[in-house]
Structure formats: C-alpha cells, structure tokens
Amino acid sequence: MHLVTEENITELAVERWATARDPRLAEVMTALVRHLHDFAREVRLTEDEWMSAVQWLTATGQISTEKREEFILASDVLGLSMLVVQMNHRLDPRATPATVLGPFHIEGSPELGHGEDMSEGPPGTPLYLHGRVTDLDGAPVAGAVLDVWQADTEGAYESQVPDIDEARLRAKYTTDDDGRYCLRTIAPLGYTIPMDGPVGDLVSRTEISHFRPAHIHFLINVPGFEPLITHLFQEGAQYLDSDVVFGTKQELVTSFEEREPGATPDGGSIDVPWLESRYDFVLQRRA
C-alpha cells in the first residue's frame, strides 16, 4: 500500500500516467503532472484558489460554441498559441512567417474571383490587396487558395454578429498561373478581444491591453508546401507593439496607400477614394 504524502504524491501520479499505452501520451501526461504539481508548490496554491480555477475553466467551456472558441482565446492571451506556432513552424527566413489562427475562423467560405468584393454590406473604406504567392526561389504557386477573413469596423467577426446566416467579410481567392491574387475588402480596424467572458474578466484584472492591431487573416494550404496561417497588419496601426495575442511580426506589417477614384489593380475602376496594399506570400516546400 502506498500511503500518499505531500512528498510522494507527484511521483505516484507520474507512475500511474506513465502506463498510457501510447508513448507520446505517456510523455505528455507525466510531464504535465510534474509541471502542475511544481506550479502548485511554487505558488502555494490554496483550496479556494484551486476551486476558482476549476470554476473559471468550467465557465470557459460553457461560453464556448462552434463559433466562439474561448479556450483558444485563453491560449492566445497566455502566449501559448504563439509559442506552439513558433515551435512547429520553424520556416526558412525567406518564407512568410506564421502566426495564430485565432478563435473566429469559419470553414466553407465562398469562392470569389480575381478582385471580387468580400465586404459587400458592412461599411468601410475600400481596400484592394494584391500580390503573388511564390516559393522560396520566387517561382509562382498557381492554384493556391487564400482563405481570408476579418472583423468589421466595429471589431466584430461574423460569428459574433447575431442573426447573420450568410458569409460576411470572409472568402476564398485562388491564384492564377503567375501566382497572382487580388481581393477587395474594407480596411480593417484594431479591436478589443471579447471581454464578456472568463478570459476578458481575467485580463480586466491586469494592466494588459485587450486590443489587437488592425489586421486581416489568411490561411493558405497548398499541396506540397508547408501550410501557412498568418495575418497582415496595417503599417502605423495602433497596438502593433502590444498585441494582446502576441501575433505581430515585422515581416507581416504592410502599408495601405491612399488612392483617388479611378483604375484598380483588378483591371476595373472605382468611383470613391480607396486604399491599396501589395503583399507577396512566400511558401516553403515540405521536406
């Protein structure tokens, strides 16, 4: 019989979890047990604090839905999401760097043609974003699908807006034979993360800025290449240095140039002032 003491509880728990039949599960769970126990000892965790943590985790699960991933948000603000991204995407310096997925990506966005507008409906300054998708050597990547999504000028994503039953500020664009793409949307604005849930409540108890800088999300998954999940940030935007989810990288900051009414990059024209941004995505081939 093993009589449990404060001194031996950790090794007893590690011994039990080491029996996992999958070697990787055994490795992860035994390390998790050790770190959790070390954490509890380091901060001298009280029973009331332990119960508060359990209730916080419960509330995080209860507020999560298929459109709101509160646990992803928790991971983001703790810096864990970016740490996992950095460890798992050690790309060539020439490749476009990856960043966090975020909690608001939705599958099944509509497919739009070259230069078509994914922002029909919400108000905002028209933005044309265009460029190429290439490999590390500059060769075009034809047929690359860019899954694009963003928040509106109120800082809300489609999944946060009640009674929306059609795609809003999201679409898929495909590169041509030269690897070129062009999309039309509205200029993004910086916004606050959701503060009405457990994560927001926790952040509100600190001096942490709860804002994200203006950005647009991209997911590019091309057979034979490393998948890329990233953002583009507007040069000069607020909160670039204090992004609450640690997602900003200098290589992902791009300028939005003011343009007068007239010709647009897709070969069409527009009768109001607009913004233009050019960005080339560089993908790394799989080993």
Side-chain angles (χ1 to χ4, degrees):
M1 178 183 297
H2 291 290
L3 298 178
V4 177
T5 67
E6 183 178 336
E7 287 70 32
N8 71 7
I9 178 63
T10 301
E11 286 311 311
L12 288 175
V14 167
E15 184 179 334
R16 290 186 183 180
W17 281 101
T19 65
R21 287 179 288 276
D22 181 277
R24 177 59 174 167
L25 179 61
E27 178 186 7
V28 170
M29 291 308 301
T30 54
L32 176 62
V33 168
R34 287 194 180 95
H35 284 289
L36 278 176
H37 287 217
D38 287 346
F39 164 76
R41 289 187 173 97
E42 178 183 341
V43 302
R44 301 181 303 279
L45 194 66
T46 69
E47 289 177 309
D48 286 344
E49 290 166 344
W50 173 83
M51 180 55 70
S52 293
V54 170
Q55 292 172 340
W56 187 88
L57 290 169
T58 301
T60 300
Q62 289 171 337
I63 202 173
S64 297
T65 68
E66 62 179 9
K67 289 189 174 183
R68 175 171 180 165
E69 292 282 2
E70 191 79 358
F71 274 113
I72 291 181
L73 184 61
S75 175
D76 288 350
V77 302
L78 291 172
L80 179 60
S81 299
M82 272 304 297
L83 174 60
V84 172
V85 167
Q86 306 257 60
M87 291 191 301
N88 286 274
H89 298 277
R90 293 184 171 130
L91 302 175
D92 187 289
R94 294 171 292 171
T96 302
T99 185
V100 295
L101 175 67
F104 298 116
H105 176 255
I106 298 176
E107 297 286 351
S109 289
E111 297 181 4
L112 296 184
H114 190 77
E116 287 192 308
D117 188 1
M118 77 174 202
S119 65
E120 291 185 1
T125 303
L127 167 66
Y128 282 86
L129 177 58
H130 63 106
R132 301 177 72 216
V133 178
T134 72
D135 66 12
L136 295 178
D137 298 319
V141 179
V145 177
L146 288 73
D147 190 347
V148 190
W149 70 103
Q150 70 173 88
D152 62 20
T153 53
E154 300 296 323
Y157 288 86
E158 175 189 315
S159 60
Q160 297 174 288
V161 181
D163 303 322
I164 291 292
D165 56 5
E166 59 184 17
R168 185 175 187 269
L169 286 171
R170 61 184 175 93
K172 292 181 178 180
Y173 296 86
T174 302
T175 59
D176 63 17
D177 291 343
D178 293 322
R180 300 188 184 280
Y181 74 91
C182 180
L183 66 93
R184 176 178 169 176
T185 183
I186 54 175
L189 297 178
Y191 60 84
T192 175
I193 60 170
M195 295 295 287
D196 59 342
V199 174
D201 177 68
L202 189 60
V203 170
S204 70
R205 300 167 187 243
T206 73
E207 296 301 317
I208 297 171
S209 167
H210 51 276
F211 283 90
R212 297 218 62 203
H215 64 277
I216 299 174
H217 295 262
F218 290 83
L219 190 161
I220 308 175
N221 200 345
V222 181
F225 290 86
E226 294 290 339
L228 176 64
I229 297 172
T230 196
H231 303 358
L232 291 185
F233 298 90
Q234 182 178 3
E235 186 178 70
Q238 286 184 290
Y239 316 115
L240 284 174
D241 295 328
S242 60
D243 183 0
V244 66
V245 306
F246 306 96
T248 310
K249 294 186 177 183
Q250 184 59 49
E251 299 92 331
L252 301 175
V253 177
T254 184
S255 62
F256 288 11
E257 303 291 340
E258 296 182 355
R259 299 286 185 251
E260 295 297 321
T264 53
D266 63 336
S269 63
I270 190 170
D271 58 4
V272 296
W274 54 288
L275 298 171
E276 179 180 12
S277 182
R278 179 185 174 89
Y279 190 88
D280 293 337
F281 293 95
V282 180
L283 304 184
Q284 179 173 315
R285 293 187 182 275
R286 288 185 182 275

